[in-house]
Amino acid sequence: MTSGRRALYVPRPWRGGLALGTFVEGLFVIRARRGARPPMAGRTVVVTGASAGVGRAVARVFGEQGASVALLARGRRGLDAAAAEVEEAGGRALVVPVDMAEPSRVEEAAARVEEVLGPIDVWVNSAFTSVFARFPDVTADEYARVTAVTYLGCVNGTRAALRRMRPRDSGVVVQVGSALGEVSVPLQAAYCGAKHAINGFTAAVRMELRHERSGVAVTVVQLPAVNTPQFSWALSRLPRRPRPVAPVYQPEVAARAVLHAARHPRRAEYRVGASTAGTVLAHRVAPALLDRYLARTGYDAQQTGEPARPGAPHNLWEPLDGPRGRDHGAHGSFGQEAAGRSPYTVAARHRLLLSAAGGAAVVAFRALRVRAART
């Protein structure tokens, strides 16, 4: 990214080697403990889908970094609660109720953010909705709605961000993607299609920016299954209650990855969780075999043992944290099995460390094979 007053890109300390990277990161920790200025102080960050789930956790982690955070979503109760968390964490919050499926309203929201908080440095597209059902059981209007929020909402947010960042030649757009944007599963055709579309769209935009030699960066953070409220408020026509496919991670794992991507955006994508990396690898090595496996296991893996509640409220058309609703927070009901950390994700940020770990694994595997052959 270009050097300037509001330039955001920070070179990875690991470029100087493992020892130097550890030393520099240690200095950052020491400075933070001594009350140094927060890393994102003076930056303006927009987070869509900020009222709950991953977006809520992302907003909070940017607040902890001292950023001014604009919170975009439909539900006012969730937005107000998210704003309180951002400010309690040390940031500044601005609530902007908006439906990301409406491009003119998204443009108005972006203008409002810059009017109040100043030029946008980071835009995080995290808004989405979904339907759990077999494809024939999803109506045309429902499919269009999922696409409009999840895919076109990302397009609308990116357009509004780039309209402001490109003339300044500075800024970062982070798309919150999914392993399901690489590998589809049954019962979520609309969501999988939207997440696949985000990958293709983002790659095309990245090429255009590269052609322009732009200082604006666009990156994707591919998430695993996350413990969010979506499984209790998404429209479902399954016989049993929906659930995330194990292994499950807490939203804070995703939020930390988004923060890292925003500060180090020159990598095209980041994969969160070993399950995401493993699924993508399996799809590339043996796609037909993986498809057969998911066709056999994907139905049960996405449902609990509890029967579905007939007529349960959902958020496809209206937010459940509206005037008569309640705040749902960042976490869902699968916290007991959700991991709060991902060693793979931390290692994957530093390619030297990841390569060393991979090399060690290969050496260990070969040693075991030799030992087995001798016995």
Side-chain angles (χ1 to χ4, degrees), residues 94-371:
L94 173 67
V95 169
V96 186
V98 64
D99 188 334
M100 292 302 298
E102 301 180 19
S104 61
R105 296 297 179 86
V106 175
E107 176 62 27
E108 292 171 3
R112 173 67 174 162
V113 171
E114 295 215 327
E115 177 186 348
V116 177
L117 300 181
I120 297 169
D121 296 290
V122 179
W123 186 295
V124 180
N125 284 308
S126 182
F128 79 95
T129 189
S130 185
V131 175
F132 290 94
R134 297 182 316 126
F135 171 66
D137 298 331
V138 181
T139 69
D141 286 344
E142 291 165 351
Y143 200 103
R145 177 61 179 168
V146 172
T147 304
V149 174
T150 308
Y151 171 51
L152 294 180
C154 175
V155 172
N156 296 335
T158 303
R159 180 187 294 110
L162 294 184
R163 185 170 288 161
R164 290 155 177 82
M165 293 176 179
R166 286 178 67 250
R168 297 193 290 262
D169 199 36
S170 177
V172 177
V173 177
V174 181
Q175 320 288 31
V176 176
S178 169
L180 301 190
E182 298 265 358
V183 180
S184 294
V185 295
L187 305 178
Q188 293 197 66
Y191 179 81
C192 291
K195 288 297 186 179
H196 274 74
I198 288 172
N199 286 339
F201 159 73
T202 302
V205 171
R206 187 184 300 113
M207 293 175 201
E208 293 174 5
L209 292 171
R210 184 168 295 170
H211 175 79
E212 299 170 6
R213 300 184 182 276
S214 174
V216 180
V218 182
T219 187
V220 184
V221 178
Q222 309 288 18
L223 300 186
V226 183
N227 175 38
T228 69
Q230 69 152 314
F231 302 96
S232 61
W233 70 12
L235 173 60
S236 176
R237 295 197 173 94
L238 304 180
R240 289 171 284 150
R241 296 182 64 182
R243 59 152 293 140
V245 178
V248 184
Y249 295 85
Q250 293 287 24
E252 287 75 18
V253 175
R256 290 192 293 268
V258 169
L259 172 65
H260 181 83
R263 298 190 65 195
H264 305 79
R266 292 306 180 186
R267 191 184 298 185
E269 73 171 24
Y270 290 86
R271 294 172 187 160
V272 179
S275 58
T276 300
T279 300
V280 173
L281 178 61
H283 178 68
R284 293 180 179 176
V285 173
L289 182 62
L290 182 60
D291 283 354
R292 287 196 293 270
Y293 172 77
L294 292 173
R296 186 176 71 253
T297 64
Y299 278 59
D300 286 339
Q302 295 183 81
Q303 298 180 77
T304 70
E306 303 176 42
R309 295 178 296 161
H314 60 82
N315 75 336
L316 185 62
W317 304 107
E318 298 292 337
L320 293 187
D321 53 345
R324 292 182 292 180
R326 65 176 179 84
D327 171 39
H328 290 261
H331 298 87
S333 57
F334 300 91
Q336 290 186 342
E337 64 177 278
R341 297 186 179 278
S342 169
Y344 167 85
T345 305
V346 175
R349 295 173 185 169
H350 311 294
R351 290 176 176 173
L352 178 61
L353 178 61
L354 191 61
S355 298
V362 171
V363 171
F365 178 71
R366 289 178 176 175
L368 288 174
R369 288 187 63 182
V370 170
R371 181 178 298 180

